[in-house]
Every structure is written in structure tokens, then in C-alpha cells.
Amino acid sequence: MLGFLEGLRGRGAGTEAGDGTEQLPSHIYSEFFAEQLQTRKETNGQCLADDKSKSLLLDSFEAEASNQVEAPAATDHDAWIFGYGSLVWKADFPYIDRRRGFVWGFKRRFYQHSIDHRGIPERPGRVVTLLPGDPNQDRVYGVAYRIAASQKAAVLDHLDYREKNGYERCSLEFHEYPVATTTPIQVIMYVATQANDSYAGNVSEVASIARQIFSSAGPSGPNREYLFNLATAMAELFPGAVDEHLEELVVNVRRHIAEDEPHLLRQAVLEEIASILREKELPEQAQAQKLEELLMRCQQPGGREWLLHGALQQRRSET
């Protein structure tokens, strides 16, 4: 980076005709940042959302009822956990059986802030919770996991910690999919109510929520990955089921990625580069080191979303 910076300045990089922008940031961006950001875009937000992974979740679901090599025997003291968000595809606890199904009378909504998984306190993401709906019409689809009695206490402690950001346990009936004629199963599920500090609500509904998902990331990964994985899981495990809120968010976030992300990333990185170069009191070696640190941050998990969030904030302040 230092040699490239010295070489450009040695050639007298100045100002591009007509637009008043410095050539130096543009050269640095093209040489070091553009390809890296494109590579991250091609891999970012993938997982179950990748078309190449289609049917892997359903195939795994049908082939393996348990995630344990030697599962404890089922007893009348076992517990069932219902997952309707990330638990659908990421059950990081031991279970001895799992079934597809739904609960009546609720709507799934991205109305909960995430500050510990898909966002951070200063840039929260959005994850799902359940709202009361029509008890005869509304269904929320998901997966119920059977937890062996001997493992129940440890699993619930784990889930209490995992869902600590505003979620509380409740109990209700779960109906199996695709045939709901069997006896309902009593399940435990975690719901974030409006009383918790991280409850966000609709806040201008889909357009605003989509922008937040598009530009958020946390310790568990990009917020968009959570959205796309949930949509893919629903499509694979529950073909024909309709979730308009989820589907509308997917359309909006994918549009942001296709139409807004390239421009916003370039704008944000150019401004960061220009800001470093304007620090005239810094020797070139220190400026080069700061530029390398910027490049590393862009490549780290959440770096893309950090840039996007800043660019969107600036856009809003200008309008």
C-alpha cells in the first residue's frame, strides 16, 4: 500500500476533470478495494439461501430425526421446543426427534431488534417474534424438537441464554405438517413481547425493516443471511405455505443488494479513503497503515454492513 501511495503521488495524481473528486482515492479504491468487495458480495448472505443448496435441508430433515449418534430413549418426561426463526435451520442443542408443523393464531413478524446475534447495540438488526392473530386463520410454520428428559435442563438453560435479548418462554399446541389430524403436541417456544426493551414494532413497516436488515450484521453473521435462510427453509419444508411479510422483505432486501449496494459501498469506501488522506499531519507510512486497516475491516464479518449503514445514514441526512 505504501509503495502504491508513493507512486501515485509521485506521478502527481490530481483532480478529475469536471467532477471535482480526487483521483487518488479512486485509484486506491480500484487497486485494493473493488475486487475484495465484489468477492465478499458474491459470498455474503449465502448458506441455505444459495440455489446450489436447494433441498439439502429437506433431505437432511427426512433422513435424520435426531442429531445424536446415540440418542436417549424417548420418555413421557421429554420436552418439545418449537422454533420459528433461526431454530428452524440452526438447532445448536441435542434433540432426539424433530417434526415439521405449525401453531395456530399467530403471525410471524420481523419486529424484534437483535443486538447480540444479527446486529450490535449501535446498529441493531431485525429478527422474528410472534404477534397474536386470527385463531382460526393465521398459522406460523416451524420445527418442533423433542428434548430428552435427561438433557432438558441443559437445553433450556442454553436456549434461555441464546434468547436472552427480550424473549420469554410460553407454551401452546403444535400441529404436524402436512397432516394436522394427529394429536397436538404441547411445545415450549420463545416469544418477544412488546414489553421488552428491544421490541421495535413495525416502524414504517417493510421498507424501513428491509433497509435495516440490508445494513446490519452481528456476532452470528449478516442480518440478510438470517432473512434468506428463513425464507429458504420455509420454501423447502412447507411448500405452498404463504408468509407475505417474509416474502416481501426478501424482495426488498434483494433489490437493495442489486440496485443500491454497489454504489453505496463505493461511495462509503471512497469517503473513508479520502478522510484518511486528508490527515496531512500523518506521514505517508501512517496513512498507508490506516488504509490497510480499512481494507482489513472491509473484509471482516460485518464490515460490509458497517459501510452500508454509514452510507444510508448520510443519504438520509442529505434528504
Side-chain angles (χ1 to χ4, degrees), residues 94-186:
Y95 56 87
I96 60 175
D97 192 9
R98 59 179 175 177
R99 301 178 189 179
R100 291 180 289 166
F102 59 89
V103 294
W104 279 111
F106 289 92
K107 297 179 180 180
R108 176 170 37 214
R109 293 290 185 268
F110 279 76
Y111 284 6
Q112 177 73 356
H113 277 151
S114 177
I115 61 173
D116 56 350
H117 287 294
R118 298 294 177 167
I120 55 178
E122 57 269 32
R123 297 192 303 278
R126 286 289 191 114
V127 289
V128 292
T129 186
L130 299 186
L131 301 183
D134 187 325
N136 299 313
Q137 302 249 355
D138 292 319
R139 295 181 177 185
V140 172
Y141 292 88
V143 176
Y145 298 92
R146 186 168 193 159
I147 312 302
S150 60
Q151 299 169 329
K152 180 168 61 175
V155 169
L156 288 175
D157 284 347
H158 167 72
L159 289 174
D160 285 346
Y161 181 80
R162 172 171 164 164
E163 309 297 336
K164 66 184 182 298
N165 184 36
Y167 289 84
E168 298 177 1
R169 293 188 207 170
C170 66
S171 179
L172 73 169
E173 292 184 342
F174 168 88
H175 304 268
E176 288 192 60
Y177 172 92
V179 180
T181 57
T182 58
T183 302
I185 299 171
Q186 201 71 23

XYZ file of all heavy atoms in Angstrom, residues 94-186:
774
model
N -28.830 -30.725 21.595
C -29.162 -32.118 21.281
C -30.671 -32.351 21.291
O -31.377 -31.887 22.187
C -28.477 -32.899 22.409
C -28.407 -31.938 23.538
C -28.213 -30.580 22.929
N -31.161 -33.057 20.287
C -32.570 -33.432 20.245
C -32.681 -34.886 19.780
O -31.789 -35.413 19.110
C -33.380 -32.504 19.340
C -32.874 -32.407 17.921
C -33.275 -33.314 16.939
C -31.999 -31.386 17.545
C -32.812 -33.217 15.639
C -31.534 -31.285 16.246
C -31.944 -32.191 15.291
O -31.483 -32.095 14.000
N -33.799 -35.535 20.119
C -33.956 -36.951 19.781
C -35.031 -37.166 18.713
O -35.211 -38.274 18.231
C -34.269 -37.797 21.035
C -35.571 -37.340 21.709
C -33.106 -37.737 22.017
C -35.995 -38.217 22.877
N -35.738 -36.104 18.359
C -36.727 -36.191 17.290
C -37.049 -34.762 16.848
O -36.871 -33.809 17.617
C -38.000 -36.888 17.787
C -38.943 -37.264 16.639
O -38.533 -37.143 15.458
O -40.091 -37.660 16.928
N -37.524 -34.617 15.609
C -37.958 -33.304 15.133
C -39.067 -33.488 14.115
O -39.089 -34.477 13.373
C -36.798 -32.512 14.521
C -36.115 -33.181 13.348
C -35.010 -32.306 12.792
N -34.273 -32.994 11.743
C -33.281 -32.437 11.033
N -32.925 -31.200 11.292
N -32.665 -33.128 10.096
N -39.972 -32.531 14.104
C -41.117 -32.629 13.209
C -41.478 -31.258 12.655
O -41.377 -30.249 13.360
C -42.323 -33.232 13.954
C -42.033 -34.619 14.503
C -43.207 -35.192 15.266
N -42.827 -36.420 15.952
C -43.648 -37.134 16.710
N -44.913 -36.730 16.888
N -43.228 -38.237 17.309
N -41.934 -31.262 11.419
C -42.437 -30.028 10.805
C -43.873 -29.787 11.246
O -44.630 -30.744 11.440
C -42.411 -30.139 9.278
C -41.020 -30.161 8.678
C -41.097 -30.276 7.168
N -41.554 -31.598 6.734
C -41.957 -31.881 5.497
N -41.998 -30.908 4.584
N -42.339 -33.105 5.176
N -44.240 -28.518 11.371
C -45.613 -28.231 11.742
C -45.859 -26.754 11.929
O -45.096 -25.909 11.467
N -46.931 -26.437 12.662
C -47.324 -25.044 12.820
C -48.086 -24.849 14.118
O -48.558 -25.804 14.742
C -48.192 -24.597 11.634
C -49.451 -25.401 11.465
C -50.630 -25.039 12.121
C -49.470 -26.536 10.658
C -51.791 -25.787 11.976
C -50.626 -27.291 10.507
C -51.795 -26.915 11.171
N -48.191 -23.574 14.500
C -49.035 -23.185 15.629
C -50.122 -22.260 15.097
O -49.901 -21.475 14.177
C -48.218 -22.491 16.745
C -47.238 -23.464 17.369
C -47.498 -21.257 16.220
N -51.308 -22.369 15.661
C -52.450 -21.565 15.235
C -52.454 -20.209 15.948
O -51.996 -20.071 17.070
C -53.763 -22.268 15.588
C -54.216 -23.346 14.661
C -54.262 -24.680 14.918
C -54.739 -23.180 13.329
N -54.766 -25.369 13.836
C -55.070 -24.474 12.847
C -54.945 -22.078 12.498
C -55.599 -24.685 11.586
C -55.469 -22.290 11.236
C -55.796 -23.577 10.789
N -53.055 -19.222 15.243
C -53.419 -17.974 15.905
C -52.316 -16.959 16.077
O -52.441 -16.046 16.898
N -51.223 -17.086 15.295
C -50.128 -16.128 15.397
C -49.665 -15.687 14.011
O -49.904 -16.359 13.008
C -48.937 -16.734 16.153
C -49.180 -16.921 17.619
C -49.676 -18.124 18.102
C -48.911 -15.900 18.513
C -49.904 -18.302 19.449
C -49.138 -16.076 19.872
C -49.638 -17.276 20.340
N -48.971 -14.536 13.985
C -48.312 -14.042 12.781
C -46.830 -13.842 13.097
O -46.480 -13.330 14.164
C -48.918 -12.706 12.343
C -50.390 -12.782 11.955
C -50.907 -11.401 11.568
C -52.375 -11.467 11.174
N -52.901 -10.127 10.787
N -45.984 -14.258 12.156
C -44.536 -14.066 12.325
C -44.158 -12.701 11.745
O -44.465 -12.390 10.608
C -43.773 -15.190 11.627
C -42.261 -15.024 11.679
C -41.527 -16.268 11.190
N -42.220 -16.881 10.077
C -42.254 -18.204 9.852
N -41.621 -19.029 10.666
N -42.905 -18.698 8.818
N -43.448 -11.902 12.541
C -43.063 -10.569 12.097
C -41.623 -10.255 12.526
O -41.179 -10.658 13.604
C -43.991 -9.502 12.694
C -45.422 -9.571 12.180
C -45.504 -9.150 10.720
N -46.872 -9.091 10.228
C -47.507 -10.105 9.625
N -46.863 -11.273 9.470
N -48.735 -9.974 9.191
N -40.923 -9.504 11.684
C -39.570 -9.047 11.999
C -39.653 -7.765 12.834
O -39.192 -6.697 12.431
C -38.786 -8.792 10.709
C -38.207 -10.017 10.088
C -39.013 -10.915 9.392
C -36.848 -10.309 10.189
C -38.485 -12.048 8.806
C -36.311 -11.446 9.611
C -37.132 -12.330 8.918
N -40.217 -7.898 14.028
C -40.469 -6.738 14.873
C -39.549 -6.656 16.085
O -39.754 -5.816 16.959
C -41.925 -6.754 15.358
C -42.945 -6.338 14.326
C -42.590 -6.078 13.001
C -44.289 -6.215 14.671
C -43.527 -5.714 12.061
C -45.242 -5.844 13.732
C -44.863 -5.597 12.432
O -45.798 -5.229 11.508
N -38.544 -7.523 16.144
C -37.649 -7.535 17.294
C -36.247 -7.096 16.878
O -35.688 -7.599 15.911
C -37.585 -8.936 17.916
C -36.631 -9.079 19.081
C -37.116 -8.429 20.366
O -38.165 -7.789 20.390
N -36.369 -8.585 21.443
N -35.683 -6.123 17.618
C -34.298 -5.749 17.382
C -33.372 -6.881 17.846
O -33.650 -7.554 18.845
C -33.947 -4.490 18.168
C -34.337 -3.222 17.488
N -34.669 -2.079 18.164
C -34.445 -2.904 16.169
C -34.961 -1.125 17.315
N -34.851 -1.598 16.097
N -32.283 -7.050 17.129
C -31.251 -8.008 17.531
C -29.964 -7.243 17.771
O -29.400 -6.655 16.848
C -31.033 -9.064 16.437
O -29.979 -9.943 16.800
N -29.495 -7.250 19.015
C -28.257 -6.549 19.354
C -27.152 -7.515 19.765
O -26.051 -7.083 20.108
C -28.491 -5.527 20.477
C -28.989 -6.214 21.749
C -29.474 -4.447 20.027
C -29.091 -5.291 22.952
N -27.446 -8.826 19.715
C -26.455 -9.802 20.165
C -26.224 -10.931 19.163
O -25.311 -11.736 19.357
C -26.857 -10.398 21.517
C -28.239 -11.036 21.500
O -28.966 -10.853 20.504
O -28.596 -11.713 22.490
N -27.007 -11.006 18.119
C -26.822 -12.056 17.115
C -26.690 -11.487 15.694
O -25.700 -11.710 15.020
C -27.982 -13.055 17.165
C -27.955 -13.960 18.351
N -26.963 -14.896 18.553
C -28.792 -14.085 19.415
C -27.175 -15.545 19.680
N -28.282 -15.070 20.227
N -27.705 -10.772 15.232
C -27.703 -10.266 13.855
C -27.569 -8.749 13.796
O -27.889 -8.112 12.795
C -28.989 -10.703 13.136
C -29.107 -12.218 13.032
C -28.041 -12.820 12.136
N -28.136 -14.276 12.104
C -27.507 -15.045 11.213
N -26.716 -14.511 10.310
N -27.647 -16.359 11.242
N -27.093 -8.169 14.886
C -26.824 -6.751 14.968
C -26.004 -6.478 16.206
O -25.646 -7.404 16.951
N -25.695 -5.224 16.437
C -24.973 -4.810 17.633
C -25.745 -3.628 18.225
O -26.593 -3.040 17.553
C -23.513 -4.431 17.326
C -23.454 -3.353 16.227
C -22.721 -5.658 16.905
C -22.034 -2.901 15.901
N -25.494 -3.263 19.486
C -26.321 -2.226 20.112
C -26.430 -0.931 19.324
O -27.515 -0.343 19.240
C -25.619 -2.005 21.462
C -24.999 -3.337 21.776
C -24.542 -3.878 20.451
N -25.327 -0.474 18.718
C -25.396 0.786 17.966
C -25.980 0.613 16.566
O -26.391 1.594 15.937
C -24.018 1.444 17.879
C -22.931 0.589 17.259
C -22.159 -0.229 18.283
O -22.759 -0.625 19.306
O -20.960 -0.453 18.050
N -26.043 -0.616 16.078
C -26.647 -0.883 14.760
C -27.452 -2.188 14.852
O -27.039 -3.220 14.335
C -25.579 -0.999 13.670
C -24.761 0.257 13.441
C -23.929 0.171 12.166
N -23.050 -0.976 12.163
C -21.859 -1.036 12.756
N -21.408 0.016 13.419
N -21.100 -2.112 12.694
N -28.601 -2.165 15.519
C -29.368 -3.406 15.708
C -29.915 -3.964 14.409
O -30.240 -3.216 13.473
C -30.497 -2.975 16.645
C -30.614 -1.500 16.483
C -29.245 -1.006 16.153
N -29.989 -5.286 14.351
C -30.645 -5.948 13.230
C -32.101 -6.226 13.567
O -32.626 -5.759 14.582
N -32.749 -7.012 12.712
C -34.150 -7.384 12.926
C -34.296 -8.899 12.860
O -33.788 -9.538 11.925
C -35.048 -6.763 11.860
C -35.300 -5.273 12.015
C -36.208 -4.993 13.208
N -36.646 -3.606 13.190
C -37.891 -3.228 13.008
N -38.847 -4.120 12.842
N -38.201 -1.947 13.010
N -35.009 -9.454 13.840
C -35.315 -10.879 13.853
C -36.795 -11.040 14.170
O -37.498 -10.072 14.450
C -34.436 -11.634 14.872
C -32.990 -11.697 14.384
C -34.494 -10.974 16.253
N -37.263 -12.289 14.122
C -38.703 -12.504 14.216
C -39.185 -12.717 15.645
O -38.454 -13.190 16.516
C -39.144 -13.712 13.349
C -38.973 -13.390 11.874
C -38.388 -14.977 13.720
N -40.425 -12.353 15.836
C -41.195 -12.712 17.008
C -42.604 -13.030 16.519
O -42.863 -12.985 15.310
C -41.208 -11.599 18.074
O -41.861 -12.082 19.245
C -41.899 -10.340 17.569
N -43.496 -13.375 17.432
C -44.870 -13.708 17.058
C -45.839 -12.687 17.634
O -45.688 -12.243 18.762
C -45.240 -15.105 17.556
C -44.407 -16.276 17.029
C -45.004 -17.592 17.504
C -44.301 -16.249 15.520
N -46.834 -12.339 16.814
C -47.916 -11.466 17.247
C -49.221 -12.245 17.246
O -49.421 -13.130 16.406
C -48.047 -10.267 16.304
C -46.841 -9.349 16.134
C -47.208 -8.196 15.216
C -46.352 -8.834 17.474
N -50.132 -11.915 18.148
C -51.442 -12.578 18.122
C -52.146 -12.314 16.787
O -52.083 -11.211 16.238
C -52.194 -11.921 19.289
C -51.121 -11.375 20.171
C -50.004 -10.974 19.272
N -52.794 -13.344 16.271
C -53.533 -13.225 15.023
C -54.900 -13.864 15.133
O -55.399 -14.097 16.239
N -55.472 -14.167 13.997
C -56.776 -14.813 13.959
C -56.611 -16.273 14.386
O -55.885 -17.034 13.733
C -57.339 -14.738 12.544
C -58.779 -15.230 12.451
O -59.124 -16.177 13.177
O -59.540 -14.684 11.635
N -57.267 -16.708 15.450
C -57.079 -18.085 15.938
C -57.582 -19.146 14.977
O -57.225 -20.325 15.131
C -57.875 -18.104 17.251
C -58.858 -16.996 17.129
C -58.186 -15.936 16.303
N -58.387 -18.759 14.001
C -58.918 -19.736 13.048
C -58.254 -19.662 11.678
O -58.499 -20.519 10.832
C -60.429 -19.531 12.876
C -61.185 -19.726 14.181
O -60.963 -20.699 14.890
N -62.056 -18.780 14.501
N -57.421 -18.657 11.455
C -56.863 -18.464 10.113
C -55.334 -18.432 10.093
O -54.712 -18.986 9.208
C -57.383 -17.141 9.524
C -58.887 -17.071 9.449
C -59.410 -17.106 8.024
O -58.655 -17.085 7.067
N -60.709 -17.164 7.890
N -54.735 -17.727 11.044
C -53.293 -17.488 10.984
C -52.501 -18.673 11.516
O -52.800 -19.209 12.583
C -52.934 -16.229 11.777
C -53.475 -14.973 11.122
O -53.409 -14.886 9.879
O -53.958 -14.088 11.851
N -51.474 -19.031 10.754
C -50.559 -20.095 11.152
C -49.121 -19.594 11.059
O -48.798 -18.801 10.184
C -50.668 -21.303 10.215
C -51.978 -22.053 10.210
C -51.866 -23.219 9.231
N -53.058 -24.058 9.198
C -53.147 -25.179 8.495
N -52.118 -25.602 7.774
N -54.265 -25.896 8.524
N -48.294 -20.087 11.939
C -46.851 -19.875 11.829
C -46.196 -21.246 11.745
O -46.365 -22.087 12.628
C -46.290 -19.086 13.023
C -44.760 -19.053 12.967
C -46.837 -17.660 13.027
N -45.460 -21.470 10.664
C -44.809 -22.759 10.427
C -43.404 -22.770 11.015
O -42.704 -21.751 11.040
C -44.742 -23.038 8.925
C -46.084 -23.289 8.291
C -46.865 -22.228 7.805
C -46.588 -24.576 8.182
C -48.103 -22.459 7.231
C -47.824 -24.818 7.612
C -48.576 -23.749 7.136
O -49.813 -23.986 6.578
N -43.010 -23.938 11.471
C -41.675 -24.094 12.024
C -41.389 -25.545 12.354
O -42.036 -26.461 11.825
N -40.427 -25.760 13.219
C -39.965 -27.113 13.549
C -40.031 -27.317 15.059
O -39.608 -26.448 15.833
C -38.527 -27.345 13.050
C -38.018 -28.712 13.487
C -38.459 -27.217 11.538
N -40.572 -28.461 15.469
C -40.592 -28.844 16.886
C -39.513 -29.897 17.128
O -39.405 -30.873 16.374
C -41.959 -29.387 17.281
N -38.723 -29.703 18.173
C -37.636 -30.610 18.527
C -37.957 -31.286 19.854
O -38.321 -30.622 20.833
C -36.312 -29.843 18.671
C -35.859 -29.161 17.401
C -36.228 -27.847 17.140
C -35.065 -29.820 16.469
C -35.813 -27.207 15.984
C -34.639 -29.193 15.310
C -35.017 -27.886 15.070
O -34.612 -27.246 13.916
N -37.802 -32.601 19.872
C -38.020 -33.350 21.115
C -36.715 -33.409 21.899
O -35.682 -33.883 21.386
C -38.522 -34.755 20.826
C -38.904 -35.523 22.089
C -39.665 -36.801 21.785
N -40.279 -37.373 22.978
C -41.300 -38.222 22.956
N -41.811 -38.609 21.790
N -41.813 -38.680 24.079
N -36.777 -32.949 23.141
C -35.597 -32.910 24.004
C -35.734 -33.987 25.071
O -36.738 -34.029 25.806
C -35.451 -31.531 24.688
C -35.603 -30.400 23.668
C -34.125 -31.446 25.420
C -34.617 -30.448 22.532
N -34.757 -34.861 25.155
C -34.802 -35.955 26.133
C -34.853 -35.391 27.548
O -34.253 -34.350 27.850
C -33.576 -36.849 25.971
N -35.585 -36.081 28.397
C -35.746 -35.624 29.783
C -34.393 -35.402 30.461
O -34.216 -34.444 31.221
C -36.575 -36.652 30.560
N -33.435 -36.280 30.169
C -32.115 -36.171 30.800
C -31.325 -34.961 30.307
O -30.355 -34.549 30.945
C -31.308 -37.449 30.542
O -31.125 -37.646 29.143
N -31.722 -34.392 29.175
C -31.000 -33.259 28.594
C -31.806 -31.960 28.661
O -31.329 -30.901 28.270
C -30.648 -33.574 27.134
C -29.750 -34.795 26.984
C -29.624 -35.250 25.531
O -30.538 -35.086 24.735
N -28.470 -35.820 25.203
N -33.030 -32.042 29.161
C -33.955 -30.914 29.111
C -33.415 -29.692 29.857
O -33.452 -28.575 29.340
C -35.311 -31.335 29.685
C -36.349 -30.229 29.685
C -37.738 -30.779 29.978
C -37.846 -31.441 31.323
N -39.232 -31.874 31.643
N -32.930 -29.867 31.069
C -32.479 -28.720 31.864
C -31.335 -27.982 31.177
O -31.326 -26.745 31.101
C -32.059 -29.187 33.256
N -30.372 -28.737 30.654
C -29.226 -28.106 29.997
C -29.649 -27.381 28.715
O -29.168 -26.283 28.431
C -28.163 -29.162 29.682
N -30.560 -27.985 27.939
C -31.008 -27.362 26.699
C -31.782 -26.078 26.984
O -31.584 -25.044 26.327
C -31.872 -28.341 25.872
C -32.563 -27.615 24.718
C -31.003 -29.477 25.330
N -32.667 -26.112 27.964
C -33.433 -24.909 28.298
C -32.532 -23.800 28.825
O -32.738 -22.613 28.512
C -34.528 -25.245 29.305
C -35.699 -26.054 28.748
C -36.668 -26.438 29.861
C -36.431 -25.290 27.650
N -31.526 -24.154 29.610
C -30.563 -23.139 30.068
C -29.846 -22.513 28.872
O -29.646 -21.292 28.815
C -29.531 -23.766 31.011
C -30.097 -24.031 32.398
O -31.187 -23.503 32.700
O -29.451 -24.774 33.169
N -29.456 -23.354 27.924
C -28.781 -22.871 26.722
C -29.686 -21.933 25.925
O -29.261 -20.853 25.491
C -28.357 -24.055 25.848
C -27.952 -23.671 24.468
N -26.768 -23.016 24.173
C -28.583 -23.843 23.261
C -26.680 -22.804 22.879
N -27.767 -23.284 22.295
N -30.956 -22.324 25.743
C -31.887 -21.505 24.967
C -32.267 -20.224 25.714
O -32.456 -19.175 25.087
C -33.125 -22.314 24.609
C -32.908 -23.412 23.579
C -34.165 -24.249 23.414
C -32.487 -22.811 22.237
N -32.366 -20.289 27.015
C -32.628 -19.076 27.793
C -31.531 -18.040 27.544
O -31.807 -16.835 27.433
C -32.702 -19.399 29.290
C -33.998 -20.099 29.681
O -34.941 -20.098 28.868
O -34.047 -20.646 30.800
N -30.287 -18.515 27.452
C -29.177 -17.590 27.190
C -29.196 -17.126 25.736
O -29.022 -15.942 25.457
C -27.842 -18.264 27.515
C -26.665 -17.346 27.292
C -26.327 -16.380 28.246
C -25.910 -17.425 26.125
C -25.262 -15.524 28.039
C -24.841 -16.560 25.916
C -24.525 -15.616 26.868
O -23.471 -14.757 26.654
N -29.408 -18.051 24.820
C -29.440 -17.702 23.394
C -30.529 -16.680 23.100
O -30.342 -15.786 22.272
C -29.650 -18.983 22.569
C -29.883 -18.736 21.078
C -29.862 -20.033 20.304
N -30.438 -19.863 18.970
C -30.291 -20.727 17.963
N -29.580 -21.814 18.138
N -30.852 -20.514 16.795
N -31.661 -16.793 23.766
C -32.806 -15.917 23.506
C -32.948 -14.828 24.571
O -34.037 -14.280 24.768
C -34.086 -16.766 23.455
C -34.015 -17.968 22.530
C -33.828 -17.587 21.068
O -34.206 -16.456 20.699
O -33.310 -18.415 20.301
N -31.845 -14.470 25.203
C -31.906 -13.567 26.357
C -32.307 -12.149 25.986
O -32.746 -11.372 26.848
C -30.561 -13.546 27.071
C -29.411 -12.943 26.266
C -28.105 -13.049 27.022
C -26.945 -12.407 26.279
N -26.665 -13.058 24.971
N -32.157 -11.778 24.738
C -32.435 -10.394 24.337
C -33.937 -10.167 24.120
O -34.396 -9.874 23.026
C -31.648 -10.035 23.076
C -31.823 -8.575 22.687
O -31.921 -7.705 23.540
N -31.889 -8.314 21.395
N -34.724 -10.357 25.192
C -36.127 -9.978 25.125
C -37.123 -11.107 24.968
O -38.338 -10.868 24.978
N -36.666 -12.350 24.823
C -37.590 -13.459 24.586
C -37.955 -14.163 25.892
O -37.126 -14.325 26.786
C -36.974 -14.474 23.617
C -36.895 -13.965 22.199
C -35.829 -13.165 21.784
C -37.893 -14.272 21.279
C -35.758 -12.691 20.490
C -37.826 -13.798 19.979
C -36.758 -13.003 19.588
O -36.700 -12.522 18.308
N -39.208 -14.588 25.973
C -39.703 -15.305 27.131
C -40.349 -16.618 26.697
O -40.868 -16.723 25.587
C -40.745 -14.453 27.875
C -40.199 -13.138 28.410
C -41.279 -12.300 29.064
O -42.439 -12.766 29.100
O -40.961 -11.194 29.542
N -40.309 -17.594 27.585
C -40.934 -18.893 27.281
C -42.451 -18.801 27.390
O -42.992 -18.096 28.240
C -40.470 -19.954 28.271
C -39.033 -20.358 28.212
C -38.858 -21.546 29.153
N -37.516 -21.651 29.689
C -37.179 -22.471 30.665
N -38.118 -23.230 31.220
N -35.937 -22.525 31.109
N -43.116 -19.538 26.516
C -44.554 -19.758 26.669
C -44.858 -21.155 26.127
O -43.990 -21.800 25.532
C -45.380 -18.691 25.955
S -45.229 -18.692 24.170
N -46.064 -21.620 26.344
C -46.439 -22.975 25.942
C -47.735 -22.946 25.148
O -48.652 -22.176 25.459
C -46.612 -23.846 27.188
O -47.001 -25.163 26.838
N -47.792 -23.763 24.089
C -49.007 -23.865 23.293
C -48.984 -25.150 22.479
O -48.018 -25.915 22.539
C -49.182 -22.654 22.378
C -48.273 -22.520 21.156
C -48.794 -21.422 20.249
C -46.852 -22.182 21.587
N -50.035 -25.361 21.675
C -50.164 -26.604 20.916
C -49.549 -26.478 19.523
O -49.718 -25.468 18.842
C -51.642 -26.999 20.796
C -52.269 -27.412 22.109
C -53.698 -27.877 21.942
O -54.310 -27.565 20.889
O -54.218 -28.567 22.849
N -48.867 -27.549 19.139
C -48.198 -27.637 17.842
C -48.879 -28.732 17.032
O -49.165 -29.824 17.533
C -46.722 -27.979 18.084
C -45.940 -28.386 16.869
C -45.312 -27.437 16.077
C -45.796 -29.735 16.533
C -44.566 -27.818 14.966
C -45.059 -30.125 15.437
C -44.436 -29.162 14.649
N -49.136 -28.426 15.753
C -49.801 -29.377 14.861
C -48.827 -29.790 13.753
O -48.146 -28.941 13.166
C -51.044 -28.743 14.238
C -52.010 -28.237 15.252
N -53.053 -28.999 15.736
C -52.078 -27.038 15.906
C -53.741 -28.299 16.626
N -53.163 -27.109 16.752
N -48.781 -31.073 13.482
C -47.818 -31.568 12.496
C -48.237 -31.218 11.064
O -49.415 -31.056 10.758
C -47.652 -33.082 12.643
C -46.887 -33.479 13.895
C -46.491 -34.940 13.875
O -45.751 -35.346 12.954
O -46.932 -35.676 14.774
N -47.241 -31.090 10.199
C -47.408 -30.799 8.779
C -46.900 -32.019 7.994
O -45.891 -32.614 8.394
C -46.586 -29.553 8.421
C -46.516 -29.238 6.953
C -47.432 -28.377 6.365
C -45.519 -29.807 6.152
C -47.354 -28.074 5.009
C -45.447 -29.508 4.800
C -46.356 -28.646 4.240
O -46.287 -28.359 2.890
N -47.526 -32.382 6.889
C -48.653 -31.714 6.223
C -50.028 -32.137 6.744
O -51.024 -31.505 6.413
C -48.488 -32.120 4.773
C -47.863 -33.472 4.835
C -46.959 -33.453 6.033
N -50.105 -33.217 7.518
C -51.395 -33.680 8.021
C -51.526 -33.279 9.481
O -50.722 -33.694 10.324
C -51.541 -35.210 7.875
C -52.886 -35.657 8.416
C -51.391 -35.618 6.418
N -52.547 -32.456 9.782
C -52.707 -31.946 11.138
C -53.783 -32.689 11.916
O -54.419 -32.141 12.804
C -53.055 -30.461 11.080
N -53.994 -33.955 11.564
C -55.060 -34.725 12.206
C -54.575 -35.487 13.428
O -55.387 -36.043 14.159
C -55.674 -35.712 11.199
O -54.636 -36.555 10.685
C -56.336 -34.957 10.055
N -53.271 -35.544 13.638
C -52.747 -36.236 14.814
C -52.972 -35.385 16.059
O -53.283 -34.197 15.980
C -51.247 -36.504 14.646
O -50.576 -35.258 14.434
C -50.982 -37.423 13.465
N -52.787 -35.988 17.205
C -52.957 -35.266 18.470
C -51.926 -34.152 18.575
O -50.726 -34.378 18.355
C -52.786 -36.225 19.645
O -53.728 -37.289 19.523
C -53.000 -35.494 20.965
N -52.344 -32.926 18.890
C -51.379 -31.825 19.009
C -50.324 -32.106 20.075
O -50.572 -32.830 21.043
C -52.249 -30.621 19.399
C -53.631 -30.991 18.968
C -53.732 -32.479 19.122
N -49.156 -31.541 19.872
C -48.052 -31.680 20.811
C -47.924 -30.378 21.601
O -47.952 -29.290 21.030
C -46.729 -31.966 20.058
C -46.827 -33.268 19.270
C -45.560 -32.014 21.034
C -45.651 -33.499 18.340
N -47.786 -30.491 22.901
C -47.565 -29.299 23.721
C -46.094 -28.909 23.612
O -45.205 -29.712 23.898
C -47.930 -29.583 25.179
C -48.217 -28.327 25.999
C -49.524 -27.649 25.607
O -50.408 -28.291 25.048
N -49.648 -26.368 25.894
